[in-house]
Amino acid sequence: MTPGLDIALLLGSAVLLVAVGAVRLSTRVGVPSLLVYLALGVAIGGSGLGIRFDDVELTRTLGFCALVVIIAEGGLTARWSTLRPVLGLAAALSTVGVLVSIVVVGLALHLLLGLDWRLALLYGAVLSSTDAAAVFATLRRLRLPPRLVATLEAESGMNDAPAVLLVVLLSRPEMTHPWWYEVGLVAYELGVGALVGLAAGVGGRWALRRAALPSAGLYPIAAVGLTVLAYAAGSVLHASGFLAVYVAGVVLGNARLPHRQAILGFADGLAWLAQIGLFVLLGLLVSPGRLGSAVLPAVVTGLALLLVARPLSVAASAWAFRFGLREQAFLSWAGLRGAVPIVLATIPLSERVPGADRLFDVVFVLVVIFTLLQAGTLAPAARRLRVTAPAEAAEILVETAPLERMRAGLLQLEVPPGSRLAGVHVDELRLPLGASVTLVLRDGVGVVPGPDFRFKTGDSMLIVATDGVRDQVERRLRAVSRRGRLARWFGEYGEDRDV
């Protein structure tokens, strides 16, 4: 290899390892990891190690690729059972809420900073999207009611699509069509994008459940590839690829796929890699010398967004749904901004919109300041607003591997701390005919269990189940994990909460 390539690989691997280590550090000190990645990008840039990078077009392209992976992971890990009750509110926040936010921010910046209407509305459009990476990484560390978490995660997965469309629309030199045509175009792109994602997810689910791939490692690659295919198909049809990715991810993530946990683990790793690469790249692109003059406009814009635009957008979206004032207040405070607004700011930059350089700097500073402000206060805010959730019995994770010739599946699971499977005997599982616990691994020793064998926390077990009863077995295991041996007495049948 050439010396230049060796140095690039050395630097890239060093940045990746430092970024991975920074995740643990940022978790312990309470600083969001995205800020550490941005700082890494700035440190190795022109003002640090001297690596000059100013390719806006490449940043925009790679940023979109990273967002595809991040949104796909968000869809794959979303539970339909918790997403379904809040789907209407999430859709309202992603459409009505986005429009309200754009108008309010645009009006505030026009009056307070004297920006012309087009640029002021462009600021609003760039900042209208909550960030999937920031929301997913932060909320999953908090103990919140499932519907609050589902609403915020679904909103962050869905609102990228309309935000991108509106930023592109406002970045054009002039309106070439009447307003009603543009509104119809946005509706078309969102509607067809959702249909494309649904088709890709349903088709992919059918194929993966019937394919006998020669290696377990191919299933995660195929699943993520299907979400990327959804994005590409949506783009070819001039529809919203981001919405197609999220919908396809939700459909695939809630299907009973072979090696499902391996699929989710692979997607999680890819999403972390995409986040690291994206934030470091955005840190490289920024010019630190220009950021000082952007602090005041960033604070003014952020306060208008956080204290006025976001609460109004939540109120306008949630009035028709059963969300109390405390929940609405938390939704308003938890609308985190992250990499997405910075990536969206590269669109007017690449289109050479007047004032785009200033917009990029303001958005960058705003994200840094308000991520620090909001992310660190979410837990106290949840407690203050009394929207925290009590501890629940731990869910089990069931990994399935197909046994094609036997027309059966091999189910693998572990008894986690907090699961009520602990203390249950094998015969108390009451598994259907066609299913049997074949092996239990305890403290590194394999045991063939009898009917009176009692499970303990930390046990790993293998269950063989025919295809006809596999779903029934999984439901029964989840039910016992939640309620113990008397699950049916409590009306618990293992439905809908997990797959």
Side-chain angles (χ1 to χ4, degrees):
M1 290 190 289
T2 63
L5 181 58
D6 292 340
I7 294 174
L9 289 175
L10 177 63
L11 180 61
S13 60
V15 169
L16 181 61
L17 292 174
V18 170
V20 171
V23 175
R24 180 172 178 82
L25 176 63
S26 65
T27 302
R28 296 182 69 175
V29 301
V31 176
S33 57
L34 70 90
L35 298 182
V36 179
Y37 305 151
L38 287 173
L40 276 174
V42 173
I44 65 177
S47 301
L49 295 182
I51 298 177
R52 297 186 61 84
F53 180 80
D54 57 3
D55 193 331
V56 177
E57 290 287 349
L58 179 60
T59 302
R60 174 180 172 178
T61 301
L62 294 179
F64 275 37
C65 292
L67 289 181
V68 167
V69 175
I70 293 168
I71 294 172
E73 191 269 341
L76 286 168
T77 55
R79 296 179 180 180
W80 176 243
S81 58
T82 54
L83 179 62
R84 181 176 53 197
V86 301
L87 192 59
L89 177 56
L93 287 168
S94 302
T95 51
V96 175
V98 165
L99 290 174
V100 171
S101 181
I102 292 173
V103 172
V104 173
V105 171
L107 178 62
L109 297 188
H110 177 71
L111 296 177
L112 297 176
L113 299 182
L115 300 180
D116 67 79
W117 276 110
R118 178 192 176 199
L119 186 58
L121 291 173
L122 189 53
Y123 271 80
V126 167
L127 293 167
S128 64
S129 175
T130 55
D131 185 73
V135 169
F136 297 158
T138 303
L139 292 182
R140 291 174 186 177
R141 298 198 300 265
L142 303 179
R143 184 173 291 169
L144 297 171
R147 75 169 185 167
L148 265 183
V149 176
T151 300
L152 288 163
E153 291 194 356
E155 177 199 8
S156 64
M158 295 167 63
N159 63 11
D160 292 337
V164 169
L165 298 177
L166 293 170
V167 170
V168 171
L169 183 64
L170 290 167
S171 298
R172 292 176 183 172
E174 58 184 12
M175 296 285 288
T176 56
H177 298 96
W179 67 268
W180 55 264
Y181 176 87
E182 302 292 356
V183 171
L185 181 62
V186 171
Y188 163 82
E189 295 198 15
L190 294 178
V192 174
L195 290 175
V196 168
L198 182 63
V202 171
R205 179 179 63 188
W206 180 88
L208 288 177
R209 293 193 68 168
R210 287 160 178 78
L213 298 179
S215 171
L218 294 175
Y219 285 92
I221 297 174
V224 174
L226 285 165
T227 62
V228 177
L229 175 64
Y231 176 85
S235 299
V236 168
L237 295 174
H238 301 286
S240 173
F242 288 119
L243 187 57
V245 166
Y246 186 73
V247 173
V250 170
V251 174
L252 290 170
N254 287 273
R256 301 188 190 283
L257 301 179
H259 305 289
R260 180 176 179 272
Q261 296 307 318
I263 291 172
L264 298 185
F266 179 75
D268 183 57
L270 273 185
W272 275 109
L273 182 61
Q275 289 180 50
I276 293 170
L278 175 57
F279 292 130
V280 171
L281 186 65
L282 293 173
L284 270 172
L285 185 64
V286 75
S287 299
R290 300 201 315 251
L291 297 183
S293 62
V295 172
L296 182 59
V299 171
V300 172
T301 305
L303 290 175
L305 176 67
L306 181 61
L307 301 180
V308 184
R310 176 66 178 177
L312 287 178
S313 65
V314 170
S317 304
W319 69 270
F321 302 92
R322 291 186 174 181
F323 266 71
L325 292 178
R326 290 199 302 270
E327 292 173 308
Q328 291 186 38
F330 186 80
L331 287 176
S332 300
W333 191 254
L336 301 178
R337 267 66 183 177
V340 173
I342 306 178
V343 173
L344 295 184
T346 63
I347 297 176
L349 202 59
S350 62
E351 297 291 336
R352 295 179 173 83
V353 174
D357 288 335
R358 180 73 160 177
L359 185 154
F360 183 86
D361 295 340
V362 168
V363 170
F364 188 94
V365 173
L366 185 153
V367 166
V368 172
I369 293 175
F370 284 87
T371 299
L372 279 171
L373 172 66
Q374 289 177 264
T377 59
L378 282 181
R383 290 192 295 269
R384 185 92 177 203
L385 293 168
R386 299 195 298 276
V387 294
T388 54
E392 297 183 1
E395 289 282 356
I396 57 170
L397 301 177
V398 182
E399 175 76 338
T400 304
L403 303 173
E404 294 293 333
R405 294 183 180 179
M406 298 176 61
R407 295 177 181 255
L410 184 64
L411 280 61
Q412 176 184 344
L413 67 144
E414 182 175 324
V415 182
S419 170
R420 295 193 174 113
L421 268 172
V424 174
H425 292 92
V426 168
D427 60 350
E428 292 174 328
L429 289 177
R430 302 187 188 282
L431 298 180
L433 292 176
S436 175
V437 181
T438 58
L439 183 69
V440 175
L441 186 66
R442 175 178 292 174
D443 300 326
V445 179
V447 178
V448 178
D452 58 348
F453 182 90
R454 177 177 288 182
F455 297 108
K456 293 172 56 178
T457 298
D459 284 352
S460 296
M461 68 181 82
L462 294 178
I463 299 174
V464 175
T466 61
D467 289 344
V469 301
R470 188 181 68 185
D471 291 350
Q472 184 181 349
V473 170
E474 290 193 35
R475 288 194 298 270
R476 177 59 183 165
L477 290 171
R478 288 196 302 274
V480 176
S481 179
R482 295 172 190 161
R483 286 291 195 170
R485 58 178 64 86
L486 298 178
R488 291 177 182 172
W489 177 267
F490 293 104
E492 173 64 75
Y493 292 92
E495 300 284 359
D496 292 333
R497 284 174 51 191
D498 198 5
V499 291

